[in-house]
Amino acid sequence: MVNQQAIEAAKASFGKVMAEQLVRIENIKKPQEWTDYSKLKPIKIGILGGDGIGPAISAEAQRCLELLLMDQVKSGKVTFKVIEGMTIENRIAKNAAIPMDVLDEIYKCDVTLKGPTETPEAGEGRANIESANVAMRKYLDLFANVRPVRIPAQNIDWTFFRENTEDIYAVGSQGQMVTPDLAVDYKVISRPGSRRIAEAGFEYAKKNGKKRVTIVTKANVVKTTDGLFLNIAKEVAKNYPGIEMDAWYIDIMTAKLLDTARRSDFQVMVLPNLYGDIITDEAGQIQGGVGTAGSANLGKKYAMFEAIHGSAPRMVKEGRAQYADPSSIIRAGAMMLEHIGFQDLGERLHMALDICGQYEKKLVMTGRSNGAAGKDFGDYVVATVRDSKTRDRWNAYVHATK
Ligand code: IPM
Ligand code: MG
């Protein structure tokens, strides 16, 4: 017999979720300009260490940024502020994805560099708080998660534009146990939400001379939501006549990333949140591990930069935190430099990471005591950045290995 009472309760909850979503979507439609960092003085950079391996790896990225931005700090163009309290202990104590006082500090900054933060899993027995990453993306409306993966020696230069506020993540903590036997989560895709991520991907392609944008969905099966995402992307593509658009399904796309004969043909990928989450870990692994991959979470007003991976509580438990690879968050730092208007400095940091992690490899990170410590790797990157010949070294390596 159908449990009508359970259905009514589920309908009420559905109505509430939909009402919230409609408000959110109206907000997306309001016109808003992108922040012009050239006009800001100072540009306020917040640093959040996070938890688990976060504080250790963030400290290395902070060192690189402080070194590269030394002149800008002196001239008052840039300020740094360390924001405390984004730890799992404090978040559980305050029972908040992001404690209010921490959020206030975040809002005072223009951009933030954020170390990984732990997300408790449902049913673990700890407070079931929402992921701090996911919450921050929502609060600051950081809708574009930009994740580059580059292996110059293999001609791989991919940039993933992962939609960052919708899909299964939009109300990930408000799914429904309709009855004890039936669980339902919501996959939410909106027209303006899809439009802005597709536009971000195409704009990036246009500005960076890319010739191809690939839309990745599962629109053959998930017809309504992924179908909308794909259709909007097709509409947006019409405004970019010089750029070829093609569409792939997520399953075959994950396979194609392993196809050494064809994978370097892909340039810019635009995709809904969950597929983007999964495939960027795969792409990061191809680059040398998720510990090498950084990301930008961009909104029109704010931006947050972080590693693509989590806080690795297992590494901490096993006493290996000091061997965590800081490359991921240093890459995120390089992306921050590019985003706030210091393209040359950002590129120099990217090149230093390529040299240290992909070519020269004087120190190798394994995540264990048989590899280098994160701090020593940080020293290595800093020394490489300081070298006035960073670009020459990078060119020599790229040409020698191609
Ligand atoms: C990421 C992470 C997060 C996500 C987790 C930590 C919630 O995997 O940034 O890719 O799923 O988005
Ligand atoms: Mg992920």
Side-chain angles (χ1 to χ4, degrees), residues 134-354:
V134 174
M136 201 162 156
R137 293 167 187 166
K138 284 186 202 162
Y139 289 143
L140 277 63
D141 200 22
L142 309 174
F143 64 88
N145 193 325
V146 186
R147 300 188 155 181
V149 162
R150 49 189 259 167
I151 313 172
Q154 295 177 28
N155 277 328
I156 290 178
D157 188 2
W158 296 325
T159 310
F160 296 87
F161 277 75
R162 164 189 178 191
E163 200 291 323
N164 215 18
T165 52
E166 304 202 328
D167 191 5
I168 209 89
Y169 282 71
V171 280
S173 303
Q174 294 169 62
Q176 283 269 304
M177 286 304 299
V178 177
T179 72
D181 289 335
L182 177 60
V184 177
D185 272 309
Y186 300 101
K187 174 159 166 126
V188 179
I189 300 268
S190 76
R191 185 177 295 277
S194 304
R195 178 171 296 280
R196 63 181 178 174
I197 190 68
E199 282 173 353
F202 276 95
E203 273 302 305
Y204 170 85
K206 188 174 157 187
K207 285 197 188 116
N208 292 277
K210 308 283 177 199
K211 293 278 164 275
R212 181 177 179 193
V213 174
T214 304
I215 313 300
V216 185
T217 66
K218 189 73 187 174
N220 52 340
V221 175
V222 189
K223 294 187 192 294
T224 308
T225 46
D226 281 4
L228 178 67
F229 189 93
L230 178 57
N231 283 337
I232 300 290
K234 284 182 182 163
E235 268 176 46
V236 170
K238 290 190 191 130
N239 301 329
Y240 296 85
I243 299 169
E244 178 200 339
M245 189 217 93
D246 60 348
W248 290 69
Y249 298 130
I250 181 65
D251 48 351
I252 185 65
M253 191 72 225
T254 57
K256 281 293 140 193
L257 290 195
L258 301 180
D259 179 349
T260 48
R262 297 199 49 196
R263 65 181 174 190
S264 62
D265 297 342
F266 294 102
Q267 299 183 336
V268 178
M269 268 76 73
V270 177
L271 61 187
N273 209 335
L274 182 63
Y275 308 142
D277 175 46
I278 296 168
I279 207 168
T280 54
D281 270 18
E282 185 196 12
Q285 190 64 41
I286 293 168
Q287 183 180 251
V290 293
T292 67
S295 73
N297 294 263
L298 308 181
K300 297 234 166 128
K301 183 165 168 57
Y302 296 104
M304 179 265 277
F305 299 80
E306 62 180 350
I308 73 159
H309 55 75
S311 63
R314 193 178 305 148
M315 284 187 87
V316 178
K317 213 188 280 158
E318 294 171 5
R320 298 188 282 118
Q322 72 271 34
Y323 299 110
D325 192 343
S327 306
S328 52
I329 190 154
I330 302 178
R331 285 268 180 209
M335 296 182 79
M336 175 192 282
L337 291 169
E338 291 172 330
H339 184 70
I340 62 178
F342 307 112
Q343 280 79 5
D344 290 353
L345 297 177
E347 184 53 23
R348 181 138 151 222
L349 189 49
H350 274 304
M351 287 191 295
L353 285 162
D354 293 343

Side-chain angles (χ1 to χ4, degrees), residues 24-90:
R24 185 182 63 80
I25 292 164
E26 282 312 305
N27 281 329
I28 301 180
K29 290 193 209 159
K30 289 184 189 152
Q32 198 186 351
E33 293 294 313
W34 288 89
T35 297
D36 180 352
Y37 296 95
S38 70
K39 296 215 175 93
L40 294 185
K41 194 169 182 189
I43 302 171
K44 298 190 209 92
I45 302 178
I47 311 259
L48 299 134
D51 46 56
I53 60 170
I57 62 171
S58 313
E60 299 309 317
Q62 188 178 346
R63 264 201 310 152
C64 293
L65 289 176
E66 283 174 348
L67 171 72
L68 284 161
L69 291 172
M70 209 176 331
D71 292 342
Q72 287 76 7
V73 170
K74 272 193 206 132
S75 74
K77 174 69 184 166
V78 163
T79 60
F80 283 100
K81 166 127 205 237
V82 173
I83 303 172
E84 308 285 349
M86 186 79 123
T87 59
I88 185 73
E89 295 79 16
N90 193 34

